[in-house]
Amino acid sequence: YDATRDDIDPMAVAEYRRLRAEANPGAEELAYGDDDLLEAICALKRVNGDLRPTLAGIVLFGKSLALRRLMPALRIDYIRVPGTQWVEDPDDRFVTTLDLRKPLLLALRQMQNTILDELPKGFRLDDGELQSRQEPLLPRKVIREALANATMHRSYQIHSLVQILRYSTCIR
């Protein structure tokens, strides 16, 4: 109820436009202004004549400050744990931690890139190519789908975080 139109991050709206144009360059809503676009996808709704963000609008497009103010537990934590168990050495549990408090449209790409950067890479030399490529052993699609499932299939009415644990042998 405390959210206002000013709580929407323009960079997240631009990212939505980029992703939508990538999926369907002729999408009708790409011609709309930002307010009309956000209202058309139910990220904004009219309340007593004013445009106000919906829950989905804040989760997907909310500025970091708005997310902290309105949904303080909404974040994605990436925790790199050495070894194969949660607590092998209680004095040195984590090598890397990253907590993201960004609109989901921006956080997912950053988290995906963070995970992919840490994964072991395989050597690939396509037929007819002179230069090899190094690609993560897990396809980008797999990481993207796991992140989408972790963030989409949850209740945003319950204030909790998404936690990704990266052990030396697996990701949970």
Side-chain angles (χ1 to χ4, degrees), residues 35-172:
D35 287 351
D36 290 337
L37 170 69
L38 292 170
E39 191 174 13
I41 63 171
C42 297
L44 292 176
K45 71 177 186 176
R46 294 209 179 267
V47 177
N48 298 327
D50 294 327
L51 280 175
R52 295 202 173 248
T54 61
L55 178 61
I58 290 295
V59 169
L60 291 168
F61 301 102
K63 292 178 181 175
S64 295
L65 183 60
L67 290 168
R68 280 187 181 272
R69 187 180 86 244
L70 301 167
M71 304 179 78
L74 181 63
R75 69 176 200 256
I76 304 173
D77 284 355
Y78 178 74
I79 302 169
R80 179 71 168 96
V81 181
T84 59
Q85 296 180 14
W86 175 245
V87 180
E88 287 184 358
D89 178 0
D91 293 326
D92 184 27
R93 280 198 282 190
F94 312 123
V95 172
T96 306
T97 60
L98 171 66
D99 75 334
L100 291 180
R101 293 176 193 263
K102 292 183 174 188
L104 202 52
L105 278 168
L106 301 177
L108 286 177
R109 181 174 303 273
Q110 183 177 349
M111 188 57 68
Q112 176 181 301
N113 290 338
T114 298
I115 293 169
L116 287 169
D117 286 348
E118 279 205 347
L119 289 178
K121 310 268 189 290
F123 174 86
R124 180 175 175 167
L125 183 61
D126 292 328
D127 288 340
E129 294 294 322
L130 296 175
Q131 188 168 353
S132 67
R133 290 185 292 160
Q134 286 195 343
E135 295 180 351
L137 294 179
L138 281 175
R140 180 177 295 273
K141 238 187 234 187
V142 170
I143 301 301
R144 186 183 67 226
E145 185 68 18
L147 285 170
N149 286 338
T151 56
M152 301 296 175
H153 300 294
R154 58 165 290 192
S155 171
Y156 283 97
Q157 294 181 350
I158 298 170
H159 295 290
S160 64
L161 56 92
V162 172
Q163 199 172 60
I164 301 162
L165 303 174
R166 168 73 163 92
Y167 294 92
S168 61
T169 57
C170 65
I171 299 174
R172 293 187 185 155

